[in-house]
């Protein structure tokens, strides 16, 4: 049996009598640390204990400390009941308790948790804070301060030292204004030791009294442009679009609808694809932002008409991803990615029209508006999932030769419709080869087009250097330059 006891924020009057009784009756008592104001009083009560302070000197980091403590407590529990006591409330910012509870459950060791007043309760009282208005709590040791939303109040716990305070400050300055007034609190609720200091954020690491009893309170930021902003959440962009579409906004933005925006949605999508092809990370980031703007634009128009908003969009795709990944969010087991895709299509079919009726064809749902190469690739992949496919790319390659011969025959007839049909068949067959070879035909053709442009530009540049008009050059002269471009 492991009994985990809270010692309160530091004042002996905040230690519940029931917890004190457990400490007195414990056969074996462990304290995470003696460096806590109430411990001296516990010693005077004649209560014997062992502490884990030695691990703070031996270990390289806090994670190692907490795992060493967990191992010792669980090992001792194998020989008999133990009591493990921690400052404050056992379930508030106590990583060692989380680890002990998790492993004890796996090993079948019974546990009990005796709560106590936490340092947060003392902090709320000292600063007159009502947490019901919304409060974020982050661990200064874990450096997750960058994820805070400045529109809500926040408490950063475990600001153990000036060094940690400096790290916390740097993280917070990515989110909060440097002049934002924050409150540094030490030993909240402990008479004679409590210290409260209101300071600008940039001065956070300038106080030598910061220690293991120190936490930081960040009031909400009310400045224009920061309200509702987290690190870079979607709400800020949604608010901007709402203003652009609202009274006194941008005349052009107010005139747009779903149909007028369609060309821009396509254009931004292709610009993202171009950036990916160029492997330019900065450009990918920029173009993804432009594409996101189009999504927010369409969601805002729908919201104004009472259909849905961006939250519905995010919630819908979130639920869909969970639903279509039962091997991650459920109990389904899969062997490989092919099985994942097969399950995806099966789930997708049952979602159609909101019931369990499958669609009429496995090929349904591939939009006609897709580029022809991409659409043919998707159609072939759909058919392949039910076994209608070549065993490998050799059979598909033979089909390319067959279609090319038929295209050659059609060209000899001069019949436009027949030529068009056979051209399409040949292209479709080439897409099949690319798919079976693991190549995206859209990407491959884009790269080939770019290569053509580079080589043709070389011809143009050389013609310009010699003062020659391209129209005056012979095919042989241009072909010679083309071969030079290939070698380059």
């Amino acid at each position: 049996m492991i009994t985990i006891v809270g010692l309160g924020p530091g004042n002996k009057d905040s230690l519940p009598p029931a917890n004190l009784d457990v400490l007195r009756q414990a056969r074996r008592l462990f304290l995470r640390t003696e460096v806590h104001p109430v411990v001296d009083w516990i010693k005077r009560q004649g209560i014997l204990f062992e502490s884990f302070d030695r691990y703070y000197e031996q270990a390289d980091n806090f994670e190692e400390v907490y795992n060493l403590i967990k191992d010792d407590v669980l090992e001792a529990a194998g020989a008999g009941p133990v009591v493990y006591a921690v400052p404050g409330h056992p379930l508030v910012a106590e990583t060692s308790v989380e680890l002990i509870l998790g492993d004890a459950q796996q090993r079948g060791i019974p546990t009990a948790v005796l709560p106590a007043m936490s340092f947060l309760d003392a902090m709320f009282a000292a600063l007159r804070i009502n947490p019901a208005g919304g409060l974020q709590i982050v661990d200064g040791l874990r450096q997750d301060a960058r994820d805070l939303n400045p529109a809500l109040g926040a408490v950063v716990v475990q600001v153990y030292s000036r060094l940690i305070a400096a790290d916390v400050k740097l993280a917070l300055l990515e989110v909060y204004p440097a002049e934002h007034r924050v409150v540094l609190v030490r030993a909240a609720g402990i008479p004679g030791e409590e210290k409260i200091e209101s300071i600008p954020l940039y001065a956070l690491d300038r106080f030598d009294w910061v220690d293991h009893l120190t936490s930081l309170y960040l009031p909400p930021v009310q400045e224009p442009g920061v309200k509702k902003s987290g690190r870079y959440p979607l709400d800020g962009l949604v608010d901007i679009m709402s203003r652009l579409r609202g009274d006194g906004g941008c005349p052009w933005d107010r005139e747009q609808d779903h149909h007028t925006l369609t060309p821009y949605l396509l254009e931004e999508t292709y610009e993202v694809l171009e950036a990916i092809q160029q492997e330019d990370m900065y450009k990918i980031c920029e173009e993804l932002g432009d594409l996101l703007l189009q999504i927010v634009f369409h969601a805002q128009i729908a919201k104004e008409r009472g259909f849905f908003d961006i939250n519905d969009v995010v919630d819908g795709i979130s639920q869909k991803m969970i639903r279509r990944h039962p091997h991650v969010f459920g109990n389904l087991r899969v062997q490989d990615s092919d099985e994942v895709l097969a399950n995806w299509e099966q789930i997708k079919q049952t979602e159609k029209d909101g019931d369990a009726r499958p669609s009429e064809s496995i090929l349904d749902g591939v939009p006609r508006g897709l580029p022809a190469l991409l659409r043919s690739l998707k159609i072939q992949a759909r058919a392949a999932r039910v076994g209608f496919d070549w065993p490998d790319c050799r059979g598909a390659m033979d089909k390319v030769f067959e279609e090319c011969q038929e295209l050659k025959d059609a060209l000899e007839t001069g019949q436009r419709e027949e030529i068009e049909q056979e051209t399409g068949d040949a292209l479709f067959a080439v897409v099949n080869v690319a798919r079976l070879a693991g190549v995206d035909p859209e990407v491959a053709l884009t790269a080939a087009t770019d290569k053509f442009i580079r080589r043709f530009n070389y011809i143009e540049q050389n013609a310009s250097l010699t003062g020659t008009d391209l129209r005056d050059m012979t095919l042989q002269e241009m072909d010679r330059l083309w071969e030079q471009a290939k070698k380059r």
Side-chain angles (χ1 to χ4, degrees):
M1 177 73 182
I2 301 174
T3 303
I4 301 175
V5 177
L7 299 176
N11 183 357
K12 66 182 180 63
D13 295 329
S14 299
L15 178 62
N19 294 23
L20 181 58
D21 289 342
V22 170
L23 299 179
R24 284 175 170 155
Q25 297 169 15
R27 294 183 183 178
R28 193 169 186 188
L29 172 61
F30 294 100
L31 265 61
R32 178 171 65 77
T33 178
E34 288 187 53
V35 188
H36 187 60
V38 81
V39 174
D40 286 338
W41 181 82
I42 289 174
K43 290 178 180 178
R44 293 196 294 271
Q45 308 310 303
I47 298 173
L48 301 178
F49 60 83
E50 304 170 51
S51 86
F52 293 116
D53 284 317
R54 64 188 183 278
Y55 288 146
Y56 288 88
E57 300 296 331
Q58 299 172 10
D60 294 331
N61 52 59
F62 285 106
E63 182 179 359
E64 186 178 346
V65 170
Y66 298 143
N67 276 291
L68 288 169
I69 292 173
K70 175 205 68 175
D71 293 341
D72 281 5
V73 171
L74 290 170
E75 182 180 354
V82 299
V83 176
Y84 176 56
V86 297
H89 191 296
L91 300 179
V92 177
E94 280 293 340
T95 304
S96 64
V97 173
E98 295 178 30
L99 295 172
I100 290 169
L101 291 175
D103 272 25
Q105 183 178 16
Q106 291 181 359
R107 300 186 190 187
I109 301 174
T111 58
V113 177
L114 298 184
M117 181 178 177
S118 78
F119 67 92
L120 287 175
D121 297 309
M123 196 172 187
F124 297 155
L127 300 181
R128 306 295 192 267
I129 299 171
N130 178 9
L135 188 70
Q136 307 161 95
I137 302 172
V138 297
D139 189 339
L141 298 177
R142 295 181 177 177
Q143 293 301 299
D144 49 3
R146 295 177 180 85
D147 298 326
L148 287 172
N149 181 347
L152 298 175
V155 174
V156 181
V157 303
Q158 304 203 84
V159 185
Y160 271 122
S161 65
R162 289 182 68 179
L163 182 61
I164 293 174
D167 290 340
V168 169
K169 180 183 78 171
L170 292 176
L172 292 174
L173 286 175
E174 295 187 25
V175 186
Y176 289 81
E179 300 285 344
H180 184 56
R181 302 295 297 188
V182 300
V183 185
L184 202 57
V185 182
R186 181 196 176 276
I190 304 176
E193 296 190 40
E194 181 179 277
K195 189 182 291 289
I196 299 174
E197 193 83 35
S198 176
I199 58 173
L201 176 58
Y202 66 77
L204 177 59
D205 55 349
R206 299 181 183 179
F207 297 87
D208 56 10
W209 47 262
V210 170
D211 63 10
H212 63 287
L213 297 176
T214 306
S215 297
L216 175 69
Y217 174 64
L218 298 134
V221 177
Q222 303 295 342
E223 296 178 14
V226 179
K227 188 178 180 181
K228 293 186 180 179
S229 298
R231 192 163 183 222
Y232 294 107
L234 206 55
D235 286 350
L237 181 57
V238 172
D239 289 345
I240 291 170
M241 182 53 63
S242 177
R243 182 170 178 182
L244 291 173
R245 294 273 301 176
D247 294 337
C250 172
W252 185 88
D253 289 301
R254 288 166 55 87
E255 292 173 0
Q256 305 311 307
D257 59 32
H258 291 302
H259 297 287
T260 60
L261 289 175
T262 299
Y264 303 104
L265 181 60
L266 285 171
E267 179 182 340
E268 299 301 349
T269 301
Y270 279 112
E271 289 183 1
V272 170
L273 294 175
E274 180 182 10
I276 292 173
Q277 178 66 28
Q278 295 171 354
E279 297 186 359
D280 185 335
M281 292 299 112
Y282 294 102
K283 191 173 181 181
I284 291 173
C285 179
E286 179 184 357
E287 298 301 344
L288 284 174
D290 292 343
L291 181 57
L292 178 60
L293 175 64
Q294 294 301 312
I295 295 169
V296 171
F297 210 147
H298 282 277
Q300 178 63 28
I301 293 172
K303 178 183 178 182
E304 293 165 3
R305 298 179 180 179
F307 292 108
F308 60 84
D309 61 17
I310 192 65
N311 292 326
D312 297 313
V313 175
V314 174
D315 183 64
I317 189 60
S318 298
Q319 294 301 321
K320 181 185 292 186
M321 294 303 290
I322 292 171
R323 195 166 55 245
R324 293 188 183 179
H325 289 83
H327 53 287
V328 176
F329 301 102
N331 299 320
L332 184 68
R333 294 185 179 275
V334 295
Q335 295 181 348
D336 52 32
S337 59
D338 289 338
E339 194 172 341
V340 170
L341 292 175
N343 288 333
W344 178 284
E345 289 302 325
Q346 186 177 2
I347 296 168
K348 187 175 179 180
Q349 286 182 3
T350 62
E351 291 171 349
K352 197 169 182 65
D353 297 328
D355 60 25
R357 293 175 299 176
S359 57
E360 294 181 1
S361 170
I362 195 172
L363 305 181
D364 287 351
V366 178
R368 289 184 60 87
L370 287 176
L373 280 180
L374 180 57
R375 182 166 178 254
S376 64
L377 178 66
K378 286 186 171 292
I379 291 292
Q380 292 170 5
R382 290 280 187 94
R385 286 173 194 163
V386 294
F388 190 74
D389 199 8
W390 300 100
D392 54 47
C393 59
R394 288 192 295 271
M397 195 68 216
D398 291 339
K399 187 65 175 176
V400 170
F401 293 138
E402 176 186 327
E403 296 297 348
C404 285
Q405 182 59 51
E406 292 180 6
L407 174 57
K408 182 179 179 181
D409 295 340
L411 288 169
E412 292 177 358
T413 67
Q415 296 294 320
R416 187 181 181 282
E417 288 187 9
E418 188 175 349
I419 294 171
E420 183 179 285
Q421 178 180 329
E422 297 302 338
T423 300
D425 290 345
L427 290 172
F428 193 86
V430 170
V431 170
N432 232 343
V433 172
R435 177 181 61 83
L436 289 164
V439 172
D440 186 325
E442 193 82 26
V443 172
L445 183 56
T446 299
T449 303
D450 290 340
K451 181 168 59 178
F452 180 92
I453 292 171
R454 288 194 302 272
R455 293 176 179 176
F456 194 80
N457 285 342
Y458 180 82
I459 297 174
E460 290 178 314
Q461 291 164 7
N462 277 270
S464 176
L465 288 173
T466 59
T468 306
D469 192 317
L470 280 180
R471 288 167 292 191
D472 296 332
M473 293 181 70
T474 65
L475 180 58
Q476 289 75 16
E477 290 173 326
M478 287 191 284
D479 191 56
R480 178 178 55 80
L481 293 172
W482 178 273
E483 291 301 322
Q484 290 179 11
K486 285 178 64 174
K487 291 178 182 179
R488 287 167 62 88

